[in-house]
Amino acid sequence: VVKADLGESGAPARVVAEAVGAMGGVDAVISNAGEAIAAPLLTPSPPDFSKAIAVDMVAGRGCAPRLDSLAG
C-alpha cells in the first residue's frame, strides 16, 4: 500500500515510483482518487476548490510520464 495526498505536487509520480520499486513494474493502473467538498457548488473557498481539482483531475496526469516510460 502506498499512501499519498495526490493533491500535493509530486505525489502522483512518487506513488508510481514506490509501486514500481516494490513490485518491479506496473501492469495496470486504476485511478480512484477523489476529493469531495460538502458544500453548495459556489460556496467552497478557492483553496478547497483548487484541492478538489488537483485530486480529481490533475493527479492522474501526474502519473502519466512515469507510466509512459514503463510501456514496452
Side-chain angles (χ1 to χ4, degrees):
V1 174
V2 180
K3 293 183 179 183
D5 179 345
L6 296 179
E8 293 180 2
S9 178
R14 181 182 62 78
V15 167
V16 173
E18 285 188 33
V20 169
M23 296 179 283
V26 175
D27 294 324
V29 175
I30 298 170
S31 177
N32 193 33
E35 180 79 15
I37 300 172
L41 180 63
L42 299 177
T43 60
S45 68
D48 286 344
F49 185 77
S50 294
K51 174 72 179 237
I53 294 299
V55 172
D56 296 348
M57 299 178 151
V58 179
R61 176 73 171 91
C63 296
R66 177 69 176 139
L67 293 171
D68 189 48
S69 71
L70 296 171

